[in-house]
Amino acid sequence: QVFVCGDDVEAKQMVMNIVRALGLTPLDKGSLLAAQEIENYPLQLFPMWKFPILLSFGLTAFFFFYCLVLDVIYTYIYEKNNFSFFIAITIPNRVFPVMALILLALVYLPGIFAAIIQLYRGTKYRRFPDWLDKWMLCRKQLGLIALAFASLHVVFTLVTPMRAFVSWRTGKGIISQALNNKTEPLNLTNAWISDSYLALGILGFFLFVLLGITSLPSVSNNVNWREFRFVQVR
């Protein structure tokens, strides 16, 4: 995108035509009063990422501390079990999917609020409240951060079988069956539930990645509105 501002409509239109001829997309930013704002853009450092990052950090800290108290501190005090190693893999892998779902919900929630406000006002030409306007402008950033949390959840889940705790628990189960001279039969119900859960998780992550890719400016600029809408709805 190329930002264009000016007080002369004809001159501005001429510049926008030149920009289109170069294969770029002109964006009319209004009068010359916006020139200072445009010139300060190169000096800004991720201005639209501040709120999403702070929100994500705050929610992550809250859920992490909650799981820490529930799984580590509580069990150590009342059950005398030291599960402090859960801090490295188990607790983060519980926080990541929760954060991904919450942030994904926050991407689409402001659109619902905007529709309700428009219906209440009876027009779509009035400006939204500042809080809703800022929220809607950072939806793309919230979605990409949600995708990052979902990707971390996938990676942490893949390394779970490599953990010493999982190997110890599996070995303990094998030894217990050997000592009791009894083999536990395969529970087909649990097998179906487990495989279905994993399959749906893989499909959901694939759709999540597809949604994130189409949200990138370099990709979204190459698809029309109907194609973008199709991906969003799916």
Side-chain angles (χ1 to χ4, degrees), residues 89-103:
I89 299 292
T90 302
I91 293 180
N93 204 27
R94 291 182 180 177
V95 174
F96 293 152
V98 173
M99 287 299 304
L101 293 175
I102 290 178
L103 293 177

Side-chain angles (χ1 to χ4, degrees), residues 4-9 11-12 28-35 38:
V4 180
C5 64
D7 295 330
D8 191 326
V9 178
K12 186 162 55 174
D28 190 349
K29 298 293 290 186
S31 67
L32 281 176
L33 295 176
I38 295 176

Side-chain angles (χ1 to χ4, degrees), residues 38-232:
I38 295 176
E39 291 171 354
N40 289 333
Y41 278 161
L43 303 178
Q44 297 178 1
L45 184 62
F46 304 116
M48 299 303 299
W49 287 85
K50 183 177 180 181
F51 171 73
I53 290 177
L54 291 178
L55 177 64
S56 302
F57 178 81
L59 290 175
T60 301
F62 170 77
F63 287 114
F64 185 89
F65 182 74
Y66 175 80
C67 293
L68 179 67
V69 172
L70 186 65
D71 296 332
V72 178
I73 299 177
Y74 178 84
T75 54
Y76 181 77
I77 294 177
Y78 292 98
E79 300 177 5
K80 304 303 179 182
N81 292 323
N82 185 4
F83 291 144
S84 57
F85 58 90
F86 278 8
I87 296 175
I89 299 292
T90 302
I91 293 180
N93 204 27
R94 291 182 180 177
V95 174
F96 293 152
V98 173
M99 287 299 304
L101 293 175
I102 290 178
L103 293 177
L104 184 62
L106 292 177
V107 172
Y108 295 98
L109 189 59
I112 298 176
F113 288 153
I116 294 174
I117 291 176
Q118 287 179 341
L119 291 174
Y120 175 76
R121 292 175 174 177
T123 178
K124 64 177 182 180
Y125 297 105
R126 290 182 59 185
R127 184 180 177 86
F128 293 125
D130 289 340
W131 62 271
L132 182 58
D133 188 54
K134 293 179 180 179
W135 188 358
M136 294 186 70
L137 289 175
C138 67
R139 287 180 298 175
K140 185 177 296 184
Q141 288 78 7
L142 289 171
L144 292 176
I145 295 177
L147 177 58
F149 276 110
S151 302
L152 287 173
H153 175 53
V154 171
V155 174
F156 273 58
T157 302
L158 290 175
V159 302
T160 295
M162 301 168 55
R163 300 174 59 199
F165 174 71
V166 175
S167 301
W168 169 82
R169 188 170 57 183
T170 303
K172 183 180 178 182
I174 295 173
I175 294 174
S176 176
Q177 294 185 54
L179 293 176
N180 295 327
N181 196 23
K182 180 180 179 182
T183 302
E184 295 291 338
L186 175 64
N187 190 322
L188 292 179
T189 301
N190 289 337
W192 265 106
I193 293 175
S194 176
D195 286 3
S196 300
Y197 176 80
L198 292 174
L200 291 175
I202 294 172
L203 179 61
F205 181 68
F206 168 76
L207 295 176
F208 207 160
V209 171
L210 180 63
L211 185 65
I213 291 175
T214 55
S215 299
L216 296 174
S218 58
V219 178
S220 60
N221 289 337
N222 293 324
V223 297
N224 58 42
W225 172 248
R226 187 177 182 183
E227 294 169 342
F228 183 78
R229 179 77 173 174
F230 175 82
V231 176
Q232 291 285 327

